[in-house]
Coordinates of all heavy atoms in Angstrom, one line a residue:
M281 N 52.5 142.5 -54.7 CA 52.6 143.8 -54.5 C 51.3 144.5 -54.2 O 50.2 144.1 -54.8 CB 53.3 144.5 -55.7 CG 53.7 145.9 -55.4 SD 53.6 146.9 -57.0 CE 51.9 147.1 -57.3
E282 N 51.3 145.4 -53.3 CA 50.0 146.2 -53.0 C 50.3 147.6 -52.8 O 51.3 148.1 -52.2 CB 49.4 145.6 -51.7 CG 48.1 146.2 -51.3 CD 47.5 145.6 -50.1 OE1 47.6 144.4 -49.8 OE2 46.9 146.3 -49.3
I283 N 49.4 148.6 -53.3 CA 49.5 150.0 -53.2 C 48.5 150.5 -52.3 O 47.3 150.1 -52.5 CB 49.5 150.6 -54.5 CG1 50.6 150.1 -55.5 CG2 49.6 152.2 -54.4 CD1 50.4 150.6 -56.9
K284 N 48.8 151.3 -51.3 CA 47.9 152.0 -50.5 C 48.2 153.5 -50.6 O 49.2 154.1 -50.4 CB 48.1 151.6 -49.0 CG 47.3 152.3 -48.1 CD 47.4 151.9 -46.7 CE 46.5 152.5 -45.8 NZ 46.9 152.4 -44.4
V285 N 47.0 154.1 -50.9 CA 47.1 155.6 -51.0 C 46.9 156.2 -49.6 O 45.8 156.0 -48.9 CB 46.0 156.3 -51.9 CG1 46.0 157.8 -51.8 CG2 46.2 155.8 -53.3
V286 N 47.9 156.7 -49.0 CA 47.9 157.2 -47.6 C 47.3 158.6 -47.5 O 46.4 158.8 -46.6 CB 49.4 157.3 -47.0 CG1 49.4 157.8 -45.5 CG2 50.1 155.9 -47.1
N287 N 47.5 159.5 -48.4 CA 46.9 160.8 -48.5 C 47.2 161.3 -49.9 O 47.9 160.6 -50.6 CB 47.5 161.7 -47.4 CG 48.9 161.9 -47.5 OD1 49.4 162.5 -48.5 ND2 49.6 161.8 -46.4
P288 N 46.7 162.4 -50.3 CA 46.9 162.9 -51.7 C 48.3 163.1 -52.1 O 48.6 163.3 -53.2 CB 46.1 164.2 -51.7 CG 45.1 164.1 -50.6 CD 45.8 163.3 -49.6
Q289 N 49.3 163.1 -51.1 CA 50.7 163.3 -51.5 C 51.5 162.1 -51.2 O 52.8 162.2 -51.2 CB 51.2 164.5 -50.9 CG 50.5 165.8 -51.4 CD 51.0 167.0 -50.7 OE1 51.5 167.0 -49.6 NE2 51.1 168.2 -51.4
E290 N 50.9 160.9 -50.8 CA 51.8 159.9 -50.3 C 51.1 158.5 -50.7 O 49.9 158.3 -50.5 CB 51.9 159.9 -48.8 CG 52.8 158.9 -48.2 CD 52.9 159.0 -46.6 OE1 52.9 160.2 -46.1 OE2 53.1 158.0 -46.0
V291 N 52.0 157.7 -51.1 CA 51.6 156.2 -51.5 C 52.5 155.3 -50.8 O 53.8 155.6 -50.6 CB 51.5 155.9 -52.9 CG1 50.4 156.7 -53.7 CG2 52.8 156.0 -53.7
A292 N 52.0 154.1 -50.3 CA 52.9 153.1 -49.8 C 52.7 151.8 -50.7 O 51.6 151.4 -50.9 CB 52.5 152.8 -48.3
I293 N 53.9 151.3 -51.0 CA 54.0 150.1 -51.8 C 54.6 149.0 -51.1 O 55.8 149.0 -50.8 CB 54.7 150.3 -53.1 CG1 54.2 151.6 -53.9 CG2 54.7 149.1 -54.1 CD1 55.0 152.1 -55.1
T294 N 53.7 148.0 -50.7 CA 54.3 146.8 -50.0 C 54.4 145.7 -51.0 O 53.9 145.5 -51.9 CB 53.3 146.5 -48.8 OG1 52.0 146.2 -49.3 CG2 53.3 147.5 -47.8
G295 N 55.4 144.7 -50.6 CA 55.7 143.6 -51.4 C 56.8 144.0 -52.4 O 57.2 145.1 -52.5
N296 N 57.2 143.0 -53.3 CA 58.2 143.2 -54.2 C 57.6 143.8 -55.4 O 56.6 143.3 -56.0 CB 59.0 141.9 -54.5 CG 59.9 141.5 -53.4 OD1 60.7 142.4 -53.0 ND2 60.0 140.3 -53.1
I297 N 58.3 144.9 -56.0 CA 58.0 145.5 -57.3 C 58.9 144.7 -58.3 O 60.1 144.9 -58.5 CB 58.4 146.9 -57.3 CG1 57.6 147.6 -56.2 CG2 58.0 147.6 -58.6 CD1 58.2 149.0 -55.8
K298 N 58.2 143.9 -59.2 CA 59.0 143.0 -60.1 C 58.3 142.8 -61.4 O 58.9 142.2 -62.3 CB 59.3 141.8 -59.4 CG 58.2 141.0 -59.0 CD 58.6 139.7 -58.2 CE 57.4 139.0 -57.7 NZ 57.8 137.9 -56.9
T299 N 57.1 143.2 -61.7 CA 56.5 142.8 -63.0 C 55.8 144.1 -63.7 O 55.8 145.1 -63.1 CB 55.3 141.9 -62.8 OG1 54.2 142.6 -62.1 CG2 55.7 140.7 -62.0
V300 N 55.6 143.9 -64.9 CA 55.0 144.9 -65.7 C 53.6 145.3 -65.1 O 53.3 146.6 -65.1 CB 54.8 144.6 -67.3 CG1 54.1 145.7 -68.0 CG2 56.3 144.3 -67.9
S301 N 52.9 144.4 -64.7 CA 51.5 144.8 -64.2 C 51.7 145.5 -62.8 O 50.8 146.4 -62.5 CB 50.7 143.6 -63.9 OG 51.4 142.5 -63.2
D302 N 52.8 145.4 -62.1 CA 53.1 146.1 -60.9 C 53.3 147.5 -61.3 O 52.7 148.5 -60.7 CB 54.3 145.6 -60.1 CG 54.2 144.3 -59.5 OD1 53.1 143.9 -59.3 OD2 55.2 143.6 -59.2
Y303 N 54.2 147.7 -62.4 CA 54.4 149.1 -62.9 C 53.0 149.8 -63.3 O 52.8 150.9 -63.0 CB 55.4 149.0 -64.1 CG 55.2 150.2 -65.1 CD1 55.6 151.5 -64.8 CD2 54.6 150.0 -66.4 CE1 55.4 152.5 -65.7 CE2 54.5 151.0 -67.2 CZ 54.9 152.3 -66.8 OH 54.8 153.3 -67.7
L304 N 52.2 149.1 -64.0 CA 51.0 149.5 -64.5 C 50.1 150.0 -63.3 O 49.4 151.1 -63.3 CB 50.2 148.6 -65.4 CG 50.9 148.4 -66.8 CD1 50.2 147.3 -67.5 CD2 51.0 149.7 -67.6
E305 N 50.1 149.2 -62.3 CA 49.3 149.5 -61.1 C 49.9 150.7 -60.3 O 49.0 151.6 -59.9 CB 49.3 148.3 -60.1 CG 48.2 148.3 -59.0 CD 48.3 147.0 -58.2 OE1 48.7 146.1 -58.7 OE2 47.7 147.1 -57.1
I306 N 51.2 150.8 -60.2 CA 51.7 152.0 -59.7 C 51.5 153.2 -60.4 O 51.1 154.3 -59.9 CB 53.3 151.6 -59.5 CG1 53.6 150.7 -58.4 CG2 54.0 153.1 -59.1 CD1 55.0 150.2 -58.4
K307 N 51.7 153.1 -61.7 CA 51.3 154.3 -62.6 C 50.0 154.7 -62.5 O 49.7 156.1 -62.4 CB 51.7 154.0 -64.0 CG 51.6 155.2 -64.9 CD 51.9 154.7 -66.4 CE 51.8 156.0 -67.3 NZ 52.0 155.6 -68.8
G308 N 49.0 153.8 -62.6 CA 47.7 154.2 -62.4 C 47.3 154.9 -61.1 O 46.6 155.9 -61.1
A309 N 47.8 154.4 -60.0 CA 47.6 154.9 -58.6 C 48.1 156.4 -58.6 O 47.5 157.3 -58.1 CB 48.1 154.0 -57.6
I310 N 49.4 156.5 -59.0 CA 50.0 157.8 -58.9 C 49.4 158.8 -59.8 O 49.2 159.9 -59.4 CB 51.5 157.6 -59.1 CG1 52.1 156.8 -57.9 CG2 52.2 159.1 -59.2 CD1 53.6 156.5 -58.0
S311 N 49.1 158.4 -61.1 CA 48.5 159.2 -62.0 C 47.1 159.8 -61.5 O 46.8 160.9 -61.6 CB 48.2 158.5 -63.4 OG 49.4 158.2 -63.9
S312 N 46.3 158.9 -60.8 CA 45.1 159.4 -60.3 C 45.4 160.5 -59.2 O 44.6 161.5 -59.1 CB 44.3 158.3 -59.7 OG 44.0 157.3 -60.7
L313 N 46.3 160.4 -58.4 CA 46.6 161.3 -57.4 C 47.1 162.6 -57.9 O 46.6 163.7 -57.5 CB 47.7 160.7 -56.4 CG 47.4 159.8 -55.4 CD1 48.7 159.4 -54.7 CD2 46.4 160.3 -54.5
L314 N 48.0 162.5 -58.9 CA 48.5 163.8 -59.5 C 47.6 164.5 -60.5 O 47.9 165.6 -61.0 CB 49.8 163.4 -60.2 CG 51.0 162.9 -59.2 CD1 52.2 162.6 -59.9 CD2 51.3 163.9 -58.1
K315 N 46.5 163.8 -60.8 CA 45.5 164.5 -61.7 C 44.9 165.8 -61.2 O 44.7 166.7 -61.9 CB 44.4 163.4 -62.0 CG 43.5 163.8 -63.3 CD 42.4 162.8 -63.4 CE 42.9 161.5 -63.8 NZ 41.9 160.6 -64.1
E316 N 44.9 165.9 -59.9 CA 44.4 167.0 -59.1 C 45.4 168.2 -59.2 O 45.2 169.2 -58.7 CB 44.0 166.7 -57.8 CG 43.1 165.6 -57.6 CD 41.7 166.0 -58.3 OE1 41.2 167.1 -58.3 OE2 41.2 164.9 -59.0
G317 N 46.6 167.9 -59.8 CA 47.5 169.0 -59.9 C 48.7 169.0 -58.9 O 49.4 169.9 -58.8
G318 N 48.8 168.0 -58.0 CA 49.9 167.9 -57.1 C 51.2 168.0 -57.6 O 51.4 167.4 -58.8
K319 N 52.1 168.5 -56.9 CA 53.5 168.7 -57.3 C 54.5 168.0 -56.4 O 55.7 168.3 -56.5 CB 53.9 170.1 -57.6 CG 53.1 170.8 -58.8 CD 53.6 170.0 -60.1 CE 52.9 170.6 -61.4 NZ 53.3 170.0 -62.5
E320 N 53.9 167.3 -55.4 CA 54.9 166.6 -54.5 C 54.3 165.3 -54.2 O 53.1 165.0 -54.1 CB 55.0 167.4 -53.1 CG 55.8 168.6 -53.2 CD 56.2 169.3 -51.9 OE1 56.2 168.5 -50.9 OE2 56.3 170.4 -51.8
L321 N 55.2 164.3 -54.1 CA 54.8 162.9 -54.0 C 55.8 162.1 -53.1 O 56.9 162.1 -53.4 CB 54.5 162.2 -55.2 CG 54.1 160.7 -55.1 CD1 52.7 160.6 -54.6 CD2 54.2 160.0 -56.5
A322 N 55.4 161.6 -52.0 CA 56.2 160.7 -51.3 C 55.9 159.2 -51.6 O 54.7 158.9 -51.4 CB 56.1 160.9 -49.7
V323 N 56.8 158.4 -51.9 CA 56.6 157.0 -52.2 C 57.3 156.2 -51.1 O 58.5 156.1 -51.1 CB 57.1 156.7 -53.6 CG1 56.7 155.1 -53.9 CG2 56.4 157.4 -54.6
K324 N 56.5 155.4 -50.3 CA 57.2 154.7 -49.3 C 57.2 153.1 -49.7 O 56.2 152.7 -50.2 CB 56.4 154.7 -48.0 CG 56.5 156.1 -47.4 CD 55.9 156.2 -45.9 CE 56.0 157.5 -45.4 NZ 55.4 157.6 -44.1
I325 N 58.4 152.6 -49.8 CA 58.6 151.2 -50.2 C 59.3 150.4 -49.1 O 60.5 150.4 -49.0 CB 59.4 151.2 -51.5 CG1 58.9 152.1 -52.6 CG2 59.5 149.7 -52.0 CD1 59.7 152.1 -53.8
P326 N 58.5 149.9 -48.1 CA 59.1 149.3 -46.9 C 59.9 148.1 -47.1 O 60.9 147.8 -46.4 CB 58.0 149.2 -45.9 CG 56.8 149.1 -46.7 CD 57.0 149.9 -48.0
D327 N 59.4 147.2 -48.1 CA 60.0 145.8 -48.1 C 60.5 145.4 -49.4 O 61.1 144.3 -49.4 CB 59.1 144.8 -47.3 CG 57.7 144.9 -47.9 OD1 57.5 145.2 -49.0 OD2 56.7 144.7 -47.0
S328 N 60.3 146.0 -50.5 CA 60.8 145.6 -51.7 C 62.3 145.6 -51.8 O 62.9 146.5 -51.5 CB 60.2 146.4 -52.9 OG 60.5 145.8 -54.2
V329 N 62.9 144.6 -52.5 CA 64.4 144.5 -52.7 C 64.8 145.0 -54.0 O 66.0 145.2 -54.2 CB 65.0 143.1 -52.4 CG1 64.7 142.7 -50.9 CG2 64.4 142.1 -53.4
S330 N 63.7 145.4 -54.8 CA 64.1 145.7 -56.2 C 63.0 146.7 -56.6 O 62.0 146.8 -56.0 CB 64.1 144.5 -57.1 OG 63.0 143.9 -57.2
I331 N 63.3 147.3 -57.8 CA 62.3 148.1 -58.4 C 62.6 148.0 -60.0 O 63.8 147.9 -60.4 CB 62.5 149.6 -58.0 CG1 61.4 150.6 -58.4 CG2 64.0 150.1 -58.3 CD1 61.5 151.9 -57.8
T332 N 61.6 148.0 -60.8 CA 61.8 147.7 -62.2 C 62.2 149.0 -62.9 O 61.9 150.1 -62.4 CB 60.4 147.2 -62.9 OG1 59.4 148.2 -62.7 CG2 60.0 145.9 -62.2
S333 N 62.8 148.8 -64.0 CA 63.2 149.9 -64.8 C 62.1 150.8 -65.3 O 62.2 152.0 -65.4 CB 64.2 149.4 -66.0 OG 63.4 148.7 -66.8
S334 N 60.9 150.2 -65.5 CA 59.8 150.9 -66.1 C 59.3 151.9 -64.9 O 58.9 153.0 -65.2 CB 58.6 150.0 -66.5 OG 58.3 149.0 -65.5
V335 N 59.4 151.5 -63.6 CA 59.0 152.3 -62.5 C 60.0 153.5 -62.4 O 59.7 154.6 -62.1 CB 58.9 151.5 -61.2 CG1 58.7 152.4 -60.0 CG2 57.7 150.5 -61.3
I336 N 61.3 153.1 -62.5 CA 62.3 154.2 -62.4 C 62.0 155.2 -63.5 O 62.2 156.4 -63.2 CB 63.7 153.5 -62.5 CG1 64.0 152.7 -61.3 CG2 64.8 154.5 -62.7 CD1 65.4 151.8 -61.4
G337 N 61.8 154.7 -64.7 CA 61.6 155.6 -65.8 C 60.4 156.6 -65.5 O 60.4 157.7 -65.8
Y338 N 59.3 155.9 -65.0 CA 58.1 156.7 -64.7 C 58.4 157.8 -63.7 O 58.0 158.9 -63.8 CB 57.1 155.7 -64.1 CG 55.8 156.5 -63.9 CD1 55.1 157.2 -64.8 CD2 55.2 156.4 -62.6 CE1 53.9 157.9 -64.4 CE2 54.0 157.2 -62.2 CZ 53.5 157.9 -63.2 OH 52.3 158.6 -62.8
F339 N 59.2 157.4 -62.6 CA 59.5 158.4 -61.5 C 60.4 159.5 -62.2 O 60.2 160.7 -61.8 CB 60.2 157.8 -60.4 CG 59.4 156.8 -59.6 CD1 60.0 156.1 -58.5 CD2 58.0 156.9 -59.6 CE1 59.3 155.3 -57.7 CE2 57.2 156.1 -58.7 CZ 57.9 155.2 -57.8
L340 N 61.3 159.2 -63.0 CA 62.1 160.2 -63.8 C 61.3 161.1 -64.6 O 61.6 162.3 -64.6 CB 63.2 159.5 -64.6 CG 64.3 158.8 -63.7 CD1 65.3 158.1 -64.6 CD2 65.1 159.9 -62.9
K341 N 60.3 160.5 -65.3 CA 59.4 161.4 -66.1 C 58.6 162.4 -65.2 O 58.4 163.5 -65.5 CB 58.4 160.5 -66.8 CG 57.4 161.3 -67.6 CD 56.1 160.5 -67.8 CE 54.9 161.2 -68.4 NZ 54.3 162.2 -67.5
L342 N 58.0 161.8 -64.1 CA 57.4 162.7 -63.2 C 58.2 163.9 -62.7 O 57.8 165.0 -62.6 CB 56.8 162.0 -62.0 CG 55.8 161.0 -62.1 CD1 55.6 160.1 -60.8 CD2 54.6 161.6 -62.6
I343 N 59.5 163.6 -62.3 CA 60.5 164.6 -62.0 C 60.8 165.6 -63.0 O 60.8 166.8 -62.8 CB 61.7 163.8 -61.3 CG1 61.3 163.1 -60.1 CG2 62.8 165.0 -61.0 CD1 62.4 162.0 -59.6
Y344 N 61.4 165.1 -64.1 CA 61.9 165.9 -65.0 C 61.1 166.5 -66.2 O 61.2 167.6 -66.7 CB 63.2 165.3 -65.7 CG 64.2 165.0 -64.8 CD1 64.6 163.7 -64.4 CD2 64.9 166.1 -64.2 CE1 65.7 163.5 -63.5 CE2 65.9 165.9 -63.3 CZ 66.3 164.6 -62.9 OH 67.4 164.4 -62.0
Q345 N 59.9 165.9 -66.5 CA 59.1 166.3 -67.4 C 57.8 166.9 -66.8 O 57.3 168.1 -67.2 CB 58.5 165.2 -68.4 CG 59.6 164.8 -69.4 CD 59.0 163.8 -70.4 OE1 57.9 163.3 -70.2 NE2 59.7 163.7 -71.4
D346 N 57.3 166.4 -65.6 CA 56.1 166.9 -65.1 C 56.3 167.8 -63.9 O 55.4 168.6 -63.4 CB 55.2 165.8 -64.6 CG 54.9 164.9 -65.8 OD1 54.8 165.3 -66.9 OD2 54.4 163.7 -65.4
G347 N 57.6 168.0 -63.5 CA 57.9 168.9 -62.4 C 57.5 168.5 -61.0 O 57.2 169.3 -60.1
V348 N 57.3 167.3 -60.7 CA 56.8 166.7 -59.6 C 58.0 166.4 -58.6 O 58.9 165.7 -59.1 CB 56.0 165.4 -59.6 CG1 55.5 164.8 -58.4 CG2 54.8 165.8 -60.6
K349 N 58.1 166.8 -57.4 CA 59.0 166.4 -56.4 C 58.7 165.0 -55.9 O 57.8 164.9 -55.1 CB 59.2 167.5 -55.3 CG 60.3 167.1 -54.4 CD 60.5 167.9 -53.1 CE 61.6 167.4 -52.3 NZ 61.5 168.0 -50.9
V350 N 59.5 164.0 -56.3 CA 59.2 162.7 -55.9 C 60.3 162.3 -54.8 O 61.5 162.5 -54.9 CB 59.4 161.7 -57.0 CG1 59.2 160.2 -56.5 CG2 58.4 162.0 -58.1
T351 N 59.8 161.9 -53.7 CA 60.6 161.4 -52.6 C 60.5 159.9 -52.4 O 59.3 159.5 -52.2 CB 60.3 162.2 -51.2 OG1 60.5 163.5 -51.5 CG2 61.2 161.7 -50.1
V352 N 61.4 159.1 -52.5 CA 61.3 157.7 -52.3 C 62.0 157.2 -51.0 O 63.1 157.5 -50.9 CB 61.9 157.0 -53.7 CG1 61.9 155.4 -53.4 CG2 61.3 157.3 -54.9
L353 N 61.1 156.7 -50.2 CA 61.6 156.2 -48.9 C 61.6 154.7 -48.9 O 60.5 154.1 -49.1 CB 60.9 156.8 -47.8 CG 60.7 158.3 -47.7 CD1 59.7 158.7 -46.7 CD2 62.1 158.9 -47.4
V354 N 62.8 154.0 -48.6 CA 62.9 152.6 -48.7 C 63.1 152.0 -47.3 O 63.9 152.6 -46.6 CB 63.9 152.2 -49.8 CG1 63.4 152.6 -51.2 CG2 65.2 152.6 -49.5
G355 N 62.8 150.8 -47.1 CA 63.0 150.1 -46.0 C 64.1 149.0 -46.0 O 64.8 148.7 -45.0
D356 N 64.4 148.6 -47.3 CA 65.4 147.5 -47.5 C 66.7 148.2 -47.9 O 66.7 149.0 -48.9 CB 64.9 146.6 -48.5 CG 65.8 145.3 -48.6 OD1 66.9 145.5 -49.1 OD2 65.3 144.3 -48.0
Q357 N 67.8 147.9 -47.2 CA 69.1 148.4 -47.5 C 69.5 148.1 -49.0 O 70.3 148.9 -49.6 CB 70.1 148.0 -46.4 CG 71.5 148.4 -46.7 CD 71.8 149.9 -46.6 OE1 71.0 150.6 -45.9 NE2 72.6 150.4 -47.4
R358 N 69.2 146.9 -49.4 CA 69.7 146.5 -50.7 C 69.1 147.5 -51.8 O 69.7 147.9 -52.8 CB 69.3 145.1 -51.0 CG 70.1 144.1 -50.1 CD 69.5 142.7 -50.3 NE 68.2 142.7 -49.6 CZ 67.4 141.5 -49.4 NH1 67.9 140.4 -49.8 NH2 66.4 141.7 -48.7
L359 N 67.8 147.8 -51.6 CA 67.2 148.7 -52.6 C 67.7 150.2 -52.5 O 68.0 150.8 -53.5 CB 65.6 148.8 -52.4 CG 64.8 149.7 -53.3 CD1 65.2 149.4 -54.8 CD2 63.4 149.6 -53.0
F360 N 68.0 150.6 -51.3 CA 68.6 151.8 -51.1 C 70.0 151.9 -51.8 O 70.4 152.9 -52.4 CB 68.8 152.1 -49.7 CG 69.3 153.6 -49.3 CD1 68.4 154.6 -49.4 CD2 70.6 153.8 -49.0 CE1 68.8 155.9 -49.2 CE2 71.0 155.2 -48.8 CZ 70.1 156.2 -48.9
K361 N 70.7 150.8 -51.6 CA 72.1 150.7 -52.2 C 72.0 150.8 -53.8 O 72.8 151.3 -54.5 CB 72.8 149.4 -51.8 CG 74.1 149.2 -52.4 CD 75.2 149.8 -51.7 CE 76.6 149.3 -52.1 NZ 77.2 150.1 -53.2
L362 N 71.0 150.0 -54.3 CA 70.7 150.1 -55.8 C 70.4 151.4 -56.3 O 71.1 151.9 -57.3 CB 69.5 149.1 -56.0 CG 69.1 149.1 -57.6 CD1 70.3 148.5 -58.4 CD2 67.8 148.3 -57.8
L363 N 69.6 152.2 -55.6 CA 69.4 153.6 -56.0 C 70.7 154.4 -55.9 O 71.0 155.2 -56.9 CB 68.3 154.2 -55.1 CG 66.9 153.7 -55.2 CD1 66.0 154.2 -54.1 CD2 66.3 153.7 -56.6
E364 N 71.5 154.2 -54.9 CA 72.8 154.9 -54.9 C 73.7 154.4 -56.0 O 74.2 155.3 -56.7 CB 73.5 154.5 -53.6 CG 72.9 155.3 -52.4 CD 73.7 155.0 -51.1 OE1 74.3 153.9 -50.9 OE2 73.8 155.9 -50.3
D365 N 73.8 153.1 -56.3 CA 74.6 152.7 -57.4 C 74.1 153.2 -58.8 O 75.0 153.5 -59.6 CB 74.6 151.1 -57.4 CG 75.4 150.5 -56.2 OD1 76.0 151.2 -55.6 OD2 75.2 149.3 -56.0
L366 N 72.8 153.3 -58.9 CA 72.4 153.9 -60.2 C 72.3 155.4 -60.2 O 71.9 156.0 -61.2 CB 70.9 153.3 -60.5 CG 70.7 151.9 -60.6 CD1 69.3 151.4 -60.7 CD2 71.5 151.4 -61.9
R367 N 73.0 156.0 -59.2 CA 72.9 157.4 -59.1 C 71.5 158.2 -59.1 O 71.4 159.2 -59.8 CB 73.9 158.0 -60.1 CG 75.3 157.5 -60.0 CD 76.3 158.1 -60.9 NE 77.6 157.4 -60.8 CZ 78.6 157.7 -60.0 NH1 78.4 158.6 -59.0 NH2 79.8 157.1 -60.1
L368 N 70.6 157.5 -58.5 CA 69.3 158.0 -58.4 C 68.9 158.6 -57.2 O 67.9 159.2 -57.0 CB 68.3 157.0 -58.8 CG 68.4 156.3 -60.3 CD1 67.5 155.1 -60.5 CD2 67.9 157.5 -61.3
S369 N 69.7 158.5 -56.2 CA 69.5 158.9 -54.7 C 69.0 160.4 -54.7 O 68.0 160.8 -54.0 CB 70.5 158.7 -53.8 OG 70.9 157.4 -53.8
E370 N 69.8 161.2 -55.4 CA 69.5 162.7 -55.4 C 68.2 163.0 -56.2 O 67.5 163.7 -55.7 CB 70.7 163.4 -56.0 CG 70.6 164.9 -55.8 CD 71.9 165.6 -56.4 OE1 72.9 165.1 -56.1 OE2 71.7 166.7 -56.9
A371 N 68.0 162.4 -57.4 CA 66.9 162.7 -58.1 C 65.6 162.3 -57.4 O 64.6 163.0 -57.4 CB 66.9 161.9 -59.5
F372 N 65.7 161.1 -56.7 CA 64.6 160.6 -56.0 C 64.5 161.1 -54.6 O 63.5 160.6 -53.8 CB 64.5 159.0 -56.0 CG 64.3 158.5 -57.4 CD1 64.4 157.0 -57.5 CD2 64.0 159.1 -58.4 CE1 64.2 156.4 -58.7 CE2 63.7 158.5 -59.7 CZ 63.8 157.1 -59.7
C373 N 65.3 161.9 -54.2 CA 65.4 162.4 -52.8 C 65.3 161.2 -51.9 O 64.4 161.2 -50.9 CB 64.2 163.4 -52.4 SG 64.3 164.9 -53.4
A374 N 66.0 160.1 -52.2 CA 65.9 158.8 -51.4 C 66.3 159.0 -50.0 O 67.2 159.6 -49.6 CB 66.8 157.9 -52.2
G375 N 65.6 158.2 -49.3 CA 65.8 158.2 -47.8 C 65.4 156.8 -47.3 O 64.9 156.0 -47.9
K376 N 65.8 156.5 -46.1 CA 65.5 155.3 -45.4 C 64.3 155.4 -44.5 O 64.2 156.5 -43.8 CB 66.7 154.8 -44.6 CG 67.9 154.4 -45.5 CD 69.1 153.9 -44.7 CE 70.3 153.7 -45.6 NZ 71.4 153.3 -44.8
L377 N 63.5 154.4 -44.4 CA 62.4 154.3 -43.5 C 62.8 153.9 -42.1 O 63.8 153.2 -41.9 CB 61.3 153.4 -44.0 CG 60.4 153.9 -45.1 CD1 59.6 152.7 -45.6 CD2 59.6 155.1 -44.8

C-alpha cells in the first residue's frame, strides 16, 4: 500500500488496504493534512478490494466527531459494493473513479 498526498484536501491510496500498519500510515498522513484545520477530504482508492475496520472507524470518527466531510472514491466494484452492503455509502459520500 502507498499513500500519496495529492493536495491539502486529497489523498490517493494505491495497493490493498489490509494491515494495521496500513491503517497507521493512513491515519498519520490524513492527520497531518487535517492539522491545518481542513474540513473536507477526498480519499481516492483506485485498486484496493478491501478496507480494514480500523480505517472505516477512523473515517467515521473524522465525519461524526471532527466534522470533516470525507468523500471516498473507489475504483474496484467489490469495494464499492462492500461500502454499500455496510451502509457506509452515504456517510462516506462514496463514488466510483
Side-chain angles (χ1 to χ4, degrees):
M281 188 209 71
E282 185 178 325
I283 301 173
K284 179 183 177 190
V285 176
V286 178
N287 63 53
Q289 295 180 326
E290 183 179 329
V291 295
I293 303 169
T294 55
N296 283 317
I297 302 167
K298 57 185 175 183
T299 66
V300 173
S301 56
D302 291 343
Y303 155 71
L304 293 172
E305 194 174 340
I306 291 167
K307 183 179 177 184
I310 291 173
S311 294
S312 294
L313 283 179
L314 298 177
K315 195 182 292 187
E316 302 300 319
K319 290 295 180 184
E320 288 190 29
L321 177 69
V323 181
K324 292 185 177 179
I325 307 172
D327 48 33
S328 186
V329 297
S330 63
I331 187 170
T332 62
S333 60
S334 52
V335 172
I336 290 171
Y338 179 61
F339 288 168
L340 290 172
K341 177 209 171 284
L342 290 175
I343 294 164
Y344 293 115
Q345 285 187 345
D346 301 341
V348 176
K349 180 183 179 200
V350 176
T351 302
V352 178
L353 302 170
V354 299
D356 191 286
Q357 177 61 32
R358 293 169 289 186
L359 179 55
F360 189 78
K361 177 89 169 88
L362 175 66
L363 294 176
E364 287 184 324
D365 289 348
L366 295 174
R367 301 187 188 273
L368 295 170
S369 297
E370 190 174 320
F372 289 177
C373 300
K376 296 179 184 177
L377 285 173

